[in-house]
Amino acid sequence: MTENSTTGVDEAVLSFPVERDARCPFDVPAALIDSAAHQPLRRARIWDGSTPWLVTGNAELRVLALDPRISTDDRLTGFPHWNAGRAAIAPIRPDSIFNTDGPGHLRLRRMMTRTFSYKRVEAQREKIQQVTDKLIDDMLAGPNPVDLVPAFGLPLPSFMICELLGVPYDNHDFFQEHASAAMDRYATPELQERLFTAMRGYMREVIEERLASKEESTGVIAEFADNIRAGDMTIDEGVALANGLLSAGHETSAGIISLGTLALLQNPEQLEFLRNNDDPKAIANAVEELLRYLSIVHNGQRRIALEDIEISDIVIRAGEGVILDYSAGSWDARTFDEPRQFDVARVANKHLAFGFGPHGCIGQQLARVELQVAFSTLIRRIPTLKLAVPLEQIEFKHDRLAYGVYSLPVSW
Ligand code: HEM
């Protein structure tokens, strides 16, 4: 037990991140569910021995995510980095939407909001359906059983993010490997520096090629090239943003498609409910529950307080680190009845799977449409889909920043 410097109340300092219990692989760790309900702000000890504030309550997360005195600037002393690797590259990363706030953040974010707007993403629904159908055609024509991760879960979001960015999908082996390695929960400085240099070199070439080309082109990178030519953006900023999108757009949606398929196969009554219900609203609702239930972004979004902030009888001091654990917030029993229950018919719209506030996920509409199309098509076209190995043999991504499965052998 330690003493909380602000309130003088004794409390356990939780070691963070908390490992998921291998016996209940879908559950957010019990200690975090308990924190959300009873101690929504508490100290946690992280890899470097520091003890930032850990925020797990749904309501408290919403308040702090909107507070302009909370910053994402990971170059400030006291910032609670994810790991030693992220700490090492923080000083060399250029400004991007991931490490800026306020007007500087808004300027960069606006350069992408149109592409990921509801309207522009809905216009891609047909394309997403075509890609999904083609992947399922190939699966059905290929070997049975098959690993669903490389056959379906990963290529759908990977292809779509390349399409929207204007990056050649032919290079997918290179950036899928790098995007995945960058999600190492315990990344070392050597690993992060190597990945950072490789991805920066790759994207700089893609952007410079676009800048030199006279051919008409569409996509985020073509828009970045226009912004760079107009002097509204530097090449370094374009590289950092494009790489951020490329990696954020991969592992997350891919993680939910594969892990979500497993969750549905393990809960046949939920699967049946969906299969017998082709109302798009029911599918959309089920996707929100899958996002809540799976809570794959499970390492806490990292922030630092710029000024003293008083919240729920606690004062977060200027310069103290803050961890916004949205996965716990999506399992807060004060917000969701029976959070452990997977129920595709529940109203789950208060989940925080995409974060909240000015840094909330920019790709959330894209992810939603990908997931809606992926799940509804998969369960309709392969009604006999089943797990091809016992659950105990599935390897879960306990060691990644975004949860998921390494492989998912299925048959039909
Ligand atoms: C199911 C899939 C996804 C999940 C669960 C997810 C989750 C998240 C979360 C939790 C955040 C942090 C929000 C915060 O700090 O408040 C975030 C931010 C972000 N996401 Fe996603 N994401 C997903 C898909 C995508 C896709 C497909 C893209 C690419 C288009 C994307 C791009 C981004 C970007 C650029 C940010 C940073 C936004 C900012 O700081 O302003 N995400 N996402």
Side-chain angles (χ1 to χ4, degrees):
M1 297 290 264
T2 59
E3 187 162 287
N4 176 324
S5 59
T6 310
T7 62
V9 176
D10 274 348
E11 60 176 356
V13 176
L14 194 66
S15 193
F16 190 85
V18 184
E19 291 287 327
R20 293 185 189 237
D21 184 340
R23 289 164 306 174
C24 327
F26 297 112
D27 283 18
V28 164
L32 296 174
I33 306 175
D34 192 60
S35 293
H38 305 295
Q39 212 180 347
L41 276 120
R42 67 186 296 180
R43 294 275 185 184
R45 190 174 309 281
I46 61 170
W47 63 277
D48 61 358
S50 64
T51 52
W53 290 102
L54 174 66
V55 190
T56 50
N58 191 291
E60 292 77 7
L61 283 161
R62 286 167 188 275
V63 169
L64 286 172
L66 287 175
D67 194 315
R69 296 167 296 177
I70 290 274
S71 168
T72 58
D73 189 347
D74 59 3
R75 292 155 292 198
L76 296 175
T77 307
F79 191 88
H81 297 279
W82 275 330
N83 48 47
R86 294 289 175 148
I89 61 165
I92 53 171
R93 284 202 312 170
D95 278 4
S96 76
I97 52 174
F98 301 105
N99 59 3
T100 53
D101 307 291
H105 170 253
L106 203 58
R107 176 181 76 83
L108 294 168
R109 193 165 159 125
R110 279 214 181 109
M111 297 193 190
M112 298 176 294
T113 37
R114 234 168 6 120
T115 305
F116 296 103
S117 67
Y118 183 82
K119 207 169 143 204
R120 290 272 283 268
V121 170
E122 274 303 322
Q124 294 290 328
R125 191 181 277 271
E126 194 51 46
K127 176 86 200 172
I128 294 172
Q129 184 68 61
Q130 282 165 12
V131 178
T132 303
D133 279 323
K134 170 80 174 68
L135 289 168
I136 294 182
D137 289 345
D138 291 349
M139 246 173 85
L140 291 172
N144 179 4
V146 72
D147 182 354
L148 192 91
V149 175
F152 186 64
L154 184 56
L156 172 61
S158 184
F159 182 85
M160 286 314 301
I161 194 68
C162 288
E163 183 88 352
L164 288 170
L165 282 178
V167 166
Y169 185 66
D170 289 352
N171 301 341
H172 65 94
D173 281 346
F174 170 81
F175 46 70
Q176 280 173 3
E177 186 199 319
H178 283 73
S180 163
M183 299 302 268
D184 188 338
R185 208 172 197 181
Y186 309 105
T188 59
E190 297 70 36
L191 173 75
Q192 274 301 345
E193 277 159 10
R194 184 168 54 76
L195 297 171
F196 178 71
T197 309
M199 285 300 286
R200 186 173 53 180
Y202 169 75
M203 195 52 82
R204 183 169 270 275
E205 246 177 62
V206 172
I207 293 184
E208 280 174 351
E209 255 174 45
R210 176 91 320 270
L211 282 168
S213 169
K214 300 258 181 303
E215 273 173 42
E216 276 285 299
S217 177
T218 55
V220 175
I221 289 187
E223 288 174 21
F224 283 1
D226 291 342
N227 290 327
I228 293 167
R229 285 193 200 98
D232 294 335
M233 181 185 227
T234 65
I235 294 191
D236 276 351
E237 286 172 347
V239 168
L241 289 178
N243 271 335
L245 287 172
L246 198 54
S247 48
H250 262 102
E251 291 285 305
T252 45
S253 302
I256 301 239
I257 293 173
S258 302
L259 191 63
T261 302
L262 178 60
L264 287 168
L265 292 175
Q266 290 300 111
N267 291 275
E269 73 297 342
Q270 304 290 319
L271 183 60
E272 274 318 299
F273 175 83
L274 275 190
R275 209 198 313 278
N276 298 328
N277 193 336
D278 53 10
D279 176 1
K281 284 205 187 103
I283 299 289
N285 194 69
V287 163
E288 298 308 310
E289 170 64 354
L290 279 159
L291 285 159
R292 182 201 73 81
Y293 180 66
L294 301 173
S295 278
I296 59 158
V297 178
H298 63 171
N299 226 54
Q301 296 308 107
R302 306 301 167 101
R303 303 284 195 268
I304 186 164
L306 300 175
E307 295 174 28
D308 289 358
I309 300 169
E310 210 180 321
I311 173 168
S312 310
D313 296 333
I314 280 173
V315 180
I316 300 174
R317 296 280 173 210
E320 286 188 329
V322 178
I323 299 177
L324 303 179
D325 186 353
Y326 291 126
S327 66
S330 294
W331 280 56
D332 182 344
R334 298 173 303 166
T335 309
F336 299 98
D337 288 340
E338 307 280 348
R340 283 190 171 83
Q341 201 68 43
F342 173 42
D343 174 5
V344 293
R346 90 154 73 217
V347 179
N349 58 7
K350 282 204 157 169
H351 74 72
L352 292 168
F354 292 122
F356 191 68
H359 284 278
C361 180
I362 206 167
Q364 56 187 282
Q365 293 312 334
L366 173 63
R368 283 192 166 102
V369 176
E370 286 172 353
L371 299 174
Q372 289 164 11
V373 173
F375 289 119
S376 59
T377 312
L378 188 67
I379 62 177
R380 180 173 43 81
R381 289 202 52 198
I382 317 188
T384 55
L385 192 76
K386 58 179 187 292
L387 204 53
V389 295
L391 182 66
E392 301 70 51
Q393 282 179 26
I394 303 290
E395 247 193 281
F396 291 86
K397 293 187 169 180
H398 291 287
D399 58 348
R400 302 277 118 184
L401 295 172
Y403 195 49
V405 287
Y406 281 103
S407 70
L408 189 67
V410 289
S411 59
W412 53 91

